[in-house]
Amino acid sequence: MAELRHRGAKDTGPALQQQPSEDKGSDGELKVEKDVASDTESKVDTGVPEVPVPADDTPEVLNKALSGLSSRWKNWWVRGILTLAMISFFFFIIYLGPMVLMMIVLCVQIKCFQEIITIGYSVYHSYHLPWFRTLSWYFLLCVNYFFYGETVTDYFFTLVQREEPLRILSKYHRFISFALYLTGFCMFVLSLVKKHYRLQFYMFGWTHVTLLIVVTQSHLIIHNLFEGMIWFIVPISCVICNDIMAYMFGFFFGRTPLIKLSPKKTWEGFIGGFFSTIVFGIMLSYVMAGWRYFVCPVEFNNDSNSFQVDCEPSELFQLQDYTLPSILESVTGWTTVRLYPFQIHSIALSSFASIVGPFGGFFASGFKRAFKIKDFANTIPGHGGIMDRFDCQYLMATFVNVYIASFIRGPNPSKVIQQLLALRVDQQLHIFNSLKAHLTEKGLLPALEEAAA
């Protein structure tokens, strides 16, 4: 019995000796977990992202002029001064006309692409991946060739048909675009390096998502511009107004955090920006709807080989009387109001710019938090890079394009005629006879002939 007791104690001894160590280990693990949890909770509570401190890129003149202010008010003045400078530049390019606006959109697109691709390159540059930047810019060239070629064919049809080289390029445009892309695809496959396959495919996806976000949206902005400069200016101005007013309301009245991705965004700024943008959109639409320069579609004049914005404004830009609901009538004392129909559409544009548009900024904030950077670049002091200013604009461009296609745009007779002129003579005669028979059957053709006589 003693031997058994001795053996049992000997056998259980190590287990008993290990148990305290395991308890210590478990206690240590619990302690680490508690520490991590407390650290996480503290990070969540503070909402301060782990980003490197950026270098001060404020011009020396502003630094000297604002040296006596606190960092909070210094940032306020820097942002305010440079915002006014950017708005002034925006008005200047509007004055220069639609062609300059299109060139500016292209330049902004290229700069935004460069900023995003540079982030990817700086993250993965230590791996010395071959051809990454070369292929990225090559794919940008291919996608721009495809989209802008479609635009030229669509809006400059007569000019394209008049010049033989352009006519050939237009006819085989999609095949050429696909061949160019296929060349880049093959170059990417040939550049694959052993042990870095996954990383290279990450960067391949990075480039294509960047192209989808930047190039596609800028192409839609140009399409909106061709519908009339008002469809370009009002949406962009609404996003700018919402950005400014949300910042102002948040700066002076902000108390309640809005979203963790952007700790400085507040509910007070979000709500104040919403109502300010609605009022601003209605007022700006009223001012611009009375000018043909802004409301007429941008068309290419074949005689003068230049753009023109002269037309008879549609009903969308003609004043009409609207009866107010009884609730508003009791408040204002008015029974009817005289508005442009476009002002009603501007409410939808302003609402999107102030409610959904900021999510483009939140998306960009999440992207920057993922890579622990404060801004995409230091192009504009106090504002960051070009992409930091246009993160909401790209989302807005897609909405405006979809909105026009769904609720505004109707059949375009000029484009139908362009397509008819591209057909063979026998096809044109067939369509002519079919249209003549259709009008005669409806009894419209004799009336037209009598009117002509």
Side-chain angles (χ1 to χ4, degrees):
M1 291 292 292
E3 186 179 355
L4 286 173
R5 283 197 297 268
H6 178 71
R7 185 180 300 175
K10 191 174 182 180
D11 292 340
T12 57
L16 291 173
Q17 291 175 1
Q18 287 178 359
Q19 188 173 356
S21 64
E22 289 177 359
D23 291 341
K24 287 182 181 179
S26 61
D27 291 342
E29 290 175 359
L30 288 173
K31 186 176 181 182
V32 170
E33 289 177 357
K34 287 180 180 178
D35 293 340
V36 172
S38 62
D39 292 342
T40 305
E41 288 175 0
S42 64
K43 289 178 183 178
V44 171
D45 292 339
T46 58
V48 180
E50 295 181 358
V51 295
V53 179
D56 187 8
D57 56 349
T58 308
E60 189 63 28
V61 176
L62 291 178
N63 274 329
K64 290 182 179 180
L66 305 175
S67 58
L69 299 176
S70 64
S71 59
R72 183 170 181 261
W73 280 100
K74 179 181 177 181
N75 182 62
W76 190 87
W77 278 104
V78 170
R79 288 176 65 95
I81 293 171
L82 292 174
T83 296
L84 291 176
M86 286 188 290
I87 292 174
S88 302
F89 177 70
F90 181 59
F91 284 131
F92 177 68
I93 61 176
I94 290 173
Y95 170 77
L96 295 178
M99 191 63 185
V100 177
L101 281 174
M102 294 178 196
M103 297 303 298
I104 292 295
V105 170
L106 179 61
C107 293
V108 168
Q109 173 218 116
I110 294 173
K111 186 65 175 70
C112 290
F113 182 84
Q114 181 265 334
E115 290 178 358
I116 299 177
I117 291 298
T118 300
I119 293 173
Y121 180 74
S122 62
V123 171
Y124 299 112
H125 74 283
S126 60
Y127 292 92
H128 303 289
L129 298 179
W131 300 358
F132 168 61
R133 285 191 293 186
T134 303
L135 285 174
S136 298
W137 287 102
Y138 177 80
F139 281 125
L140 176 68
L141 177 65
C142 293
V143 175
N144 271 311
Y145 175 81
F146 171 74
F147 280 123
Y148 282 91
E150 294 283 318
T151 302
V152 169
T153 303
D154 196 16
Y155 291 98
F156 303 90
F157 180 81
T158 307
L159 176 64
V160 169
Q161 293 298 316
R162 195 168 59 196
E163 301 292 337
E164 184 65 19
L166 293 178
R167 190 176 63 82
I168 295 173
L169 289 175
S170 174
K171 184 177 181 180
Y172 302 105
H173 170 68
R174 296 195 176 186
F175 179 81
I176 295 173
S177 301
F178 178 72
L180 290 173
Y181 177 83
L182 202 59
T183 302
F185 178 82
C186 294
M187 291 171 63
F188 167 75
V189 173
L190 294 174
S191 70
L192 292 174
V193 178
K194 191 176 181 180
K195 296 183 180 180
H196 294 314
Y197 292 152
R198 181 181 297 179
L199 187 61
Q200 287 183 282
F201 277 102
Y202 282 160
M203 302 313 298
F204 185 77
W206 180 295
T207 300
H208 281 67
V209 171
T210 305
L211 292 172
L212 177 65
I213 294 174
V214 176
V215 182
T216 305
Q217 312 306 318
S218 64
H219 175 69
L220 295 180
I221 290 177
I222 292 179
H223 268 250
N224 299 339
L225 179 60
F226 275 107
E227 296 293 331
M229 292 181 67
I230 195 170
W231 292 104
F232 172 84
I233 298 172
V234 170
I236 287 182
S237 300
C238 285
V239 172
I240 295 173
C241 173
N242 182 73
D243 191 25
I244 294 173
M245 298 310 297
Y247 177 78
M248 297 288 286
F249 276 92
F251 186 86
F252 290 106
F253 309 108
R255 296 293 182 272
T256 311
L258 175 63
I259 187 171
K260 293 181 180 179
L261 282 174
S262 296
K264 294 183 180 180
K265 299 290 191 302
T266 62
W267 275 104
E268 291 81 3
F270 185 79
I271 296 172
F274 170 75
F275 287 105
S276 302
T277 305
I278 296 294
V279 174
F280 172 80
I282 294 174
M283 295 175 61
L284 180 63
S285 300
Y286 181 81
V287 173
M288 297 186 65
W291 295 81
R292 294 188 178 185
Y293 179 74
F294 296 118
V295 303
C296 290
V298 179
E299 297 179 346
F300 186 77
N301 191 328
N302 298 306
D303 297 328
S304 59
N305 287 330
S306 62
F307 288 101
Q308 65 177 13
V309 284
D310 187 21
C311 68
E312 187 64 30
S314 64
E315 294 181 357
L316 198 63
F317 305 105
Q318 295 179 8
L319 286 169
Q320 298 181 15
D321 293 325
Y322 292 92
T323 303
L324 288 177
S326 57
I327 299 177
L328 294 179
E329 183 179 347
S330 61
V331 174
T332 61
W334 303 336
T335 56
T336 60
V337 290
R338 195 166 177 80
L339 298 172
Y340 291 102
F342 181 79
Q343 288 181 271
I344 299 175
H345 293 290
S346 72
I347 298 176
L349 301 179
S350 302
S351 299
F352 186 90
S354 53
I355 296 176
V356 184
F359 280 84
F362 301 153
F363 177 85
S365 296
F367 180 88
K368 290 183 284 188
R369 297 292 181 267
F371 292 95
K372 294 182 171 55
I373 56 174
K374 184 177 184 297
D375 297 311
F376 283 95
N378 292 325
T379 308
I380 309 171
H383 292 269
I386 299 296
M387 190 64 197
D388 290 288
R389 293 299 91 210
F390 284 85
D391 48 11
C392 301
Q393 296 288 359
Y394 287 127
L395 197 61
M396 189 71 188
T398 305
F399 173 75
V400 174
N401 191 269
V402 172
Y403 189 88
I404 292 174
S406 302
F407 304 107
I408 305 299
R409 184 189 297 135
N412 192 332
S414 62
K415 291 185 179 180
V416 174
I417 293 174
Q418 289 177 359
Q419 293 176 352
L420 289 175
L421 294 176
L423 299 175
R424 299 192 307 269
V425 176
D426 59 325
Q427 294 174 327
Q428 294 178 7
L429 289 173
H430 176 71
I431 293 175
F432 171 76
N433 292 328
S434 300
L435 182 61
K436 182 179 179 181
H438 176 72
L439 295 175
T440 304
E441 182 181 350
K442 285 185 169 288
L444 298 175
L445 193 58
L448 294 174
E449 291 176 351
E450 291 175 3

